[in-house]
């Protein structure tokens, strides 16, 4: 029963991260219709994305800090509830200003999603299963992105683009109700582990910032997140303007890379766990999978030169597959090193760094695309992951606990408040 409960929690995390990416991805498809109706320019679209990234960047850190203090159960309920309400409000927007505001609120809610998921997985799983559990939880984000294009296009065709925002928002509100109803304490399914302190401890920001690994994780996200935001925000427009793909066909193609991402999130976590089971150290297992990912991304620049749309989509899928390997083991490495005391905070700090980087570079991407082409962006997408991997293995020679924590048993201690 204990095992069933913790995998149920992971399944709900899968749904939450799926809704997170579904809700943010809908706009990248719906904007093609919204621009026609409200005469929103590409510059204004860039500002709308920036509005989301500003609040997302701020709340990634604040959300992580909050979750380390109030726990994953209440923290995720607040996060999912806020962004689901914000997403529902998109369905009633009537102006650029309203869309800008609702996008900002969406980012505020979504900032706590991944820190909360990482915190929850750490408290329920040991090092052998943690990467797999993280992979499943994170994998929901890709499935959300898979569903977004065809769902948005189908709803736009039958009910107008507003339905693409309203329905996922209502599902998110229902998720919060289910999440809060799960009686983690009352079921008394979980026994206290002697390896965990009775009182939950946290680490201050200043102490975290005095540790070099914190800055390494921040630097890695700062380098790589703009590549992922490029894939999310600009590829539908790339397929439309450069590849001359129709609106309807974008919906039939754009989900493929994100399906590859979802599968690789799970496979990358499973592979890391299998390597540990076969005698690899945590350090070697995580870095082996991340190294494979970095090598695969070197094929990404070929997207610029292939003539076939199908081959271009396949290469995008390969990139996303590599990213899934990378991000699952990257986040799991944070929990391996920072444990229950600071996992959410460091995930939050690194996520903020990535969002700030995306915030700064997203307008520049628009300038490069408008004045030149997509080519420099494809080349950068292929080179940044190997660079980040070299920096990672150089600056973090060994992945190990920083604050003397023992590995927790694969259960949650009884009596922890608000998990």
């Amino acid at each position: 029963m204990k095992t069933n409960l913790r995998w149920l929690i992971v399944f709900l995390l899968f749904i939450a991260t799926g809704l997170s990416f579904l809700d943010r991805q809908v706009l990248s498809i719906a904007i093609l219709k919204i621009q026609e109706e409200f005469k929103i320019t590409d510059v204004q679209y860039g500002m709308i994305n920036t509005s989301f990234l500003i609040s997302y960047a701020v709340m990634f850190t604040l959300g992580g800090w909050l979750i380390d203090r109030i726990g994953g159960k209440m923290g995720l309920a607040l996060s999912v509830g806020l962004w689901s309400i914000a997403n529902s409000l998109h369905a009633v927007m009537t102006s650029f200003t309203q869309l800008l505001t609702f996008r900002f609120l969406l980012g505020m809610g979504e900032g706590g999603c991944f820190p909360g998921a990482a915190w929850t997985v750490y408290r329920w799983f040991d090092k052998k299963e943690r990467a797999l559990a993280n992979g499943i939880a994170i994998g929901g984000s890709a499935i959300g992105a898979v569903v977004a294009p065809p769902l948005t296009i189908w709803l736009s065709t039958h009910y107008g683009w507003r339905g693409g925002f309203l329905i996922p928002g209502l599902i998110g509100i229902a998720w919060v109700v289910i999440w809060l109803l799960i009686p983690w304490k009352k079921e008394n399914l979980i026994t206290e582990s002697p390896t965990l302190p009775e009182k939950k401890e946290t680490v201050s920001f200043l102490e975290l910032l005095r540790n070099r690994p914190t800055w390494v994780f921040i630097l890695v996200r700062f380098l790589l997140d703009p590549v992922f935001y490029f894939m999310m925000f600009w590829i539908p427009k790339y397929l439309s303007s450069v590849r001359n793909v129709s609106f309807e066909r974008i919906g039939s193609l754009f989900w493929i890379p994100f399906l590859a991402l979802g599968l690789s999130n799970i496979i990358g976590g499973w592979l890391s766990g299998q390597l540990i089971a076969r005698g690899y150290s945590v350090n070697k297992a995580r870095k082996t999978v991340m190294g494979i990912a970095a090598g695969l991304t070197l094929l990404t620049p070929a997207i610029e030169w292939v003539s076939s749309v199908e081959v271009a989509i396949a290469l995008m899928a390969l990139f996303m597959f590599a990213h899934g390997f990378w991000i699952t083991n990257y986040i799991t490495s944070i929990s391996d090193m920072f444990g229950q005391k600071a996992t959410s905070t460091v995930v939050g700090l690194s996520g903020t760094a990535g969002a700030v980087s995306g915030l700064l570079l997203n307008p520049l991407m628009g300038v490069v695309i408008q004045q030149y082409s997509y080519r420099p962006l494809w080349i950068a997408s292929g080179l940044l992951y190997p660079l980040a991997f070299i920096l990672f293995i150089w600056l973090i020679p060994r992945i190990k606990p920083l604050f003397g924590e023992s590995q927790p048993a694969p259960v949650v201690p009884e009596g922890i408040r608000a998990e």
Side-chain angles (χ1 to χ4, degrees):
M1 190 65 175
K2 295 177 183 179
T3 299
N4 292 339
L5 183 59
R6 62 197 180 101
W7 288 109
L8 173 61
I9 295 297
V10 170
F11 174 72
L12 288 173
L13 293 176
F14 176 89
I15 299 298
T17 60
L19 287 170
S20 170
F21 265 57
L22 171 61
D23 290 352
R24 77 178 70 172
Q25 189 74 1
V26 166
L27 183 63
S28 67
I29 303 297
I31 192 64
L32 301 175
K33 295 294 185 182
I34 293 173
Q35 282 184 310
E36 294 177 5
E37 184 173 342
F38 295 98
K39 309 303 179 186
I40 291 176
T41 66
D42 282 349
V43 173
Q44 288 177 315
Y45 177 54
M47 293 172 64
I48 290 166
N49 287 333
T50 298
S51 176
F52 169 84
L53 290 171
I54 288 174
S55 60
Y56 188 64
V58 172
M59 288 307 297
F60 222 125
T61 290
L62 291 182
W65 176 87
L66 180 66
I67 287 166
D68 273 331
R69 282 150 181 81
I70 70 172
K73 187 172 187 179
M74 187 57 64
L76 278 170
L78 292 172
S79 177
V80 178
L82 176 58
W83 95 57
S84 297
I85 292 171
N87 197 61
S88 299
L89 289 173
H90 283 60
V92 298
M93 61 83 56
T94 57
S95 69
F96 162 71
T97 302
Q98 288 181 353
L99 184 56
L100 198 71
T101 301
F102 298 153
R103 212 67 190 162
F104 184 86
L105 293 174
L106 183 76
M108 286 186 65
E110 292 204 3
C113 181
F114 288 95
W119 188 98
T120 302
V121 167
Y122 180 83
R123 296 308 300 257
W124 284 81
F125 292 88
D126 66 9
K127 64 182 181 180
K128 293 180 181 179
E129 293 183 309
R130 191 178 301 139
L132 174 59
N134 265 324
I136 294 172
I138 297 170
S141 62
I143 301 305
V146 166
V147 171
L151 176 63
T152 304
I153 289 173
W154 185 84
L155 289 172
S156 296
T157 302
H158 292 84
Y159 305 105
W161 56 266
R162 296 179 187 274
F165 294 105
L166 180 60
I167 293 173
L170 295 177
I171 293 173
I173 293 171
W175 183 96
V176 172
V177 174
I178 295 170
W179 180 255
L180 290 175
L181 286 176
I182 295 178
W184 292 15
K185 291 189 298 182
K186 293 179 181 178
E187 288 292 332
N188 199 27
L189 298 174
I190 303 149
T191 57
E192 187 167 357
S193 167
T195 64
L196 287 171
E198 293 182 3
K199 182 179 179 181
K200 184 166 57 179
E201 301 176 11
T202 57
V203 180
S204 70
F205 273 121
L206 289 179
E207 186 175 355
L208 286 175
L209 295 178
R210 284 195 290 265
N211 282 273
R212 184 171 71 178
T214 303
W215 290 102
V216 176
F217 284 112
I218 289 172
L219 174 62
V220 167
R221 285 295 288 267
F222 188 86
L223 286 174
L224 299 185
D225 271 26
V227 180
F228 191 69
Y229 288 129
F230 165 62
M231 289 283 181
M232 286 198 66
F233 293 149
W234 291 98
I235 297 311
K237 294 181 71 66
Y238 166 79
L239 292 173
S240 176
S241 62
V242 177
R243 296 285 180 170
N244 298 314
V245 179
S246 68
F247 179 75
E248 291 73 20
R249 196 173 179 220
I250 288 173
S252 67
L253 291 175
F254 191 42
W255 62 271
I256 298 173
F258 290 96
L259 177 61
L261 172 61
L263 293 174
S264 66
N265 284 142
I266 297 171
I267 295 171
W270 173 83
L271 179 59
S272 181
Q274 287 297 302
L275 292 175
I276 292 173
R278 292 176 181 272
Y280 279 54
S281 65
V282 168
N283 177 70
K284 187 176 180 181
R286 309 295 189 229
K287 289 179 179 177
T288 295
V289 180
M290 293 171 76
I292 293 171
L296 290 175
T297 64
L298 288 170
L299 295 173
T300 306
I303 294 170
E304 173 66 21
W305 286 277
V306 297
S307 58
S308 167
V309 172
E310 289 76 13
V311 174
I313 290 293
L315 288 170
M316 292 177 196
L318 181 63
F319 170 85
M320 287 299 209
F321 189 88
H323 177 76
F325 268 36
W326 177 278
I327 196 64
T328 296
N329 286 275
Y330 165 88
I331 289 179
T332 306
S333 295
I334 292 177
S335 65
D336 291 330
M337 298 193 73
F338 292 93
Q340 66 174 327
K341 297 180 180 180
T343 289
S344 287
T345 302
V346 177
V347 171
L349 285 168
S350 63
T352 292
V356 168
S357 182
L359 171 66
L360 296 174
L361 294 180
N362 194 63
L364 179 61
M365 290 179 194
V367 172
V368 171
I369 290 167
Q370 184 170 303
Q371 300 296 328
Y372 185 57
S373 73
Y374 283 83
R375 180 176 297 177
L377 301 179
W378 290 125
I379 293 173
S381 298
L383 297 179
L384 284 173
Y385 280 76
L387 172 62
F389 181 64
I390 291 170
L391 290 173
F392 186 80
I393 60 175
W394 175 42
L395 295 174
I396 301 183
R398 185 183 173 198
I399 297 170
K400 61 181 181 179
L402 291 178
F403 301 110
E405 288 193 22
S406 302
Q407 297 291 344
V411 295
V412 178
E414 182 181 358
I416 292 294
R417 181 174 63 88
E419 287 98 57

